[in-house]
């Protein structure tokens, strides 16, 4: 039997039941700092809507956040009243909660933030004014908790939206429930370097100027990273991505059909995939990761029952958890032993195949786009459009990235 046929089995996907399934089901607490709020009934809770993961990762490193005046007054009222204040963060249309921080100061007006740009309301929530009130905060947990899971724990949770408000308060009871759900969600980073670079602040590098290894495990909570100011990432839809698997015998079928599959036991782990999610394909025979693909559907059972089967009468595929994809960017693959790739995926367990955090997804997409020159081309193209100084045609190998909604 050819080696590829041996590799194309459920074994190549590993037993996900105790690894990536937990990732989307909450899992165990996973260590980290305990919650600083011991008496939730005497605390105040807010959830803010942010524009990007980048904003959150910068906040973890700098220990500060900006809000509009209306919400600064509400936070200050709670702080001045002797109440602890916890802020939860949710990024745009990610459908996830990215973590929690404790407010450690009152919010003060920062004139430079008010006049940094001419504030022009674009949505209903913008009428509350510019984000020019800054408070200090200490992040206690970074995660990727599905909103659906948070709502199961706290049915009365109201989410901030661009059509209503960017900061939403909640009752102590609801806040306690969300807090428990966040602490029950596994730790993850909100930013991963894809350049092999290190921290925004050079002072955080080693004494000899050497780069520190990326944080792992509970070090995530004490070794926060954020991107360099000049760093541009490949446009990636907010939310988790996914690595599917194939071998040399089935890769042509995957690409020809525009169909990727997983064994039945991975149905729950694929539940986070939605149209627009970034998808990658790992060839287990060649040890190569291909991308970037874009999901066109959610994960469904037996979109094509005969796919990946040698039986023409098959009623179900051996890999029935399936999605349809399109090529978003066609690039040379990355080998499994690439050191930057291994840094990005260092926290994965159970093999390459499975869900990725957004930070891993964006970093992997950026690494692939960077190595084929597409990322620098996109940067030049954007600069040319903004300045009007050049006319650049879109590269033929890439489809325009799906437009990512703003706040």
């Amino acid at each position: 039997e050819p080696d590829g046929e041996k590799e194309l089995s459920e074994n190549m996907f590993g037993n996900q039941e105790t690894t990536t399934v937990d990732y989307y089901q909450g899992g165990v607490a996973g260590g980290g700092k305990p919650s600083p709020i011991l008496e939730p009934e005497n605390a105040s809770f807010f959830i803010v809507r942010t524009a990007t993961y980048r904003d959150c990762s910068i906040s973890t490193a700098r220990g500060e956040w900006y809000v509009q005046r209306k919400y600064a007054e509400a936070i200050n009222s709670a702080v001045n009243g002797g109440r602890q204040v916890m802020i939860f963060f949710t990024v745009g249309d990610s459908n996830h909660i990215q973590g929690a921080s404790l407010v450690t100061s009152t919010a003060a007006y920062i004139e430079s933030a008010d006049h940094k740009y001419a504030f022009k309301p674009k949505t209903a929530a913008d009428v509350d004014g510019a984000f020019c009130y800054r408070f200090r905060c200490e992040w206690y947990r970074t995660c990727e908790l599905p909103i659906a899971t948070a709502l199961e724990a706290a049915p009365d949770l109201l989410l901030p939206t661009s059509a209503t408000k960017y900061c939403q308060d909640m009752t102590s009871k609801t806040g306690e429930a969300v807090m428990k759900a966040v602490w029950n969600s596994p730790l993850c980073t909100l930013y991963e370097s894809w350049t092999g670079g290190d921290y925004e602040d050079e002072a955080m590098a080693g004494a000899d100027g050497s780069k520190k290894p990326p944080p792992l495990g509970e070090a995530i909570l004490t070794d926060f990273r954020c991107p360099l100011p000049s760093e541009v990432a490949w446009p990636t839809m907010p939310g988790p991505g996914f690595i599917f698997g194939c071998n040399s015998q089935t890769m042509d079928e995957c690409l020809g059909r525009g169909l990727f599959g997983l064994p039945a036991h991975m149905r729950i782990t694929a539940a986070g995939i939605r149209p627009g999610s970034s998808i990658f394909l790992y060839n287990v025979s060649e040890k190569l990761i291909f991308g970037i693909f874009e999901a066109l559907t959610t994960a469904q059972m037996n979109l094509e029952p005969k796919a990946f089967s040698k039986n023409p009468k098959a009623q179900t595929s051996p890999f029935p958890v399936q999605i349809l994809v399109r090529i978003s960017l066609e690039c040379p693959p990355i080998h499994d032993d690439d050191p930057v790739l291994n840094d990005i995926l260092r926290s994965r367990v159970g093999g390459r195949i499975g869900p990725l955090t957004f930070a891993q997804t964006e970093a992997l997409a950026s690494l692939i786009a960077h190595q084929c020159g597409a990322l620098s081309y996109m940067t030049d193209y954007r600069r040319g459009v903004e300045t009007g100084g050049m006319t650049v045609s879109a590269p033929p190998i890439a489809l325009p990235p799906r437009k990512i909604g703003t706040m």
Side-chain angles (χ1 to χ4, degrees), residues 53-168:
Y53 279 78
R54 183 189 185 102
D55 292 338
C56 286
S57 64
I58 291 174
S59 176
T60 64
R62 295 184 179 175
E64 62 185 27
W65 191 257
Y66 288 78
V67 293
Q68 296 155 303
R69 177 179 178 179
K70 178 178 179 180
Y71 309 110
E73 292 174 347
I75 291 170
N76 287 348
S77 176
V79 172
N80 292 330
R83 298 174 70 89
Q84 288 180 295
V85 178
M86 176 164 283
I87 307 289
F88 303 112
F89 296 82
T90 179
V91 174
D93 298 320
S94 68
N95 291 323
H96 287 74
I97 292 175
Q98 280 72 33
S101 73
L102 186 72
V103 175
T104 58
S105 77
T106 55
Y109 174 68
I110 305 298
E111 184 176 0
S112 60
D114 199 4
H115 296 91
K116 188 183 298 182
Y117 57 91
F119 189 79
K120 297 179 180 179
K122 297 179 181 179
T123 67
D126 287 335
V127 299
D128 289 325
F131 295 80
C132 56
Y133 286 80
R134 180 181 66 194
F135 59 82
R136 302 292 300 175
C137 61
E138 179 182 356
W139 281 71
Y140 272 77
R141 199 164 189 87
T142 53
C143 63
E144 226 166 33
L145 170 69
I147 290 293
T149 303
L151 288 171
E152 288 177 5
D156 295 331
L157 174 65
L158 296 178
L159 297 170
T161 70
S162 57
T164 55
K165 57 180 70 174
Y166 291 130
C167 180
Q168 178 70 56

Side-chain angles (χ1 to χ4, degrees), residues 244-246 250-262 279 281 293-294 296-309 317 319-327:
F244 279 74
C246 70
T250 60
M251 186 167 180
D252 285 346
E253 182 175 1
C254 287
L255 299 180
R257 291 180 182 269
L259 181 81
F260 295 171
L262 298 165
I279 305 296
L281 185 64
F293 302 92
E294 178 186 341
L296 299 178
T297 65
T298 57
Q300 301 173 38
M301 296 298 289
N302 283 307
L303 287 171
E304 178 49 69
K306 293 183 174 60
F308 316 117
S309 175
S317 169
F319 304 104
V321 182
Q322 300 171 352
I323 64 167
L324 294 176
V325 301
R326 72 166 187 169
I327 297 174

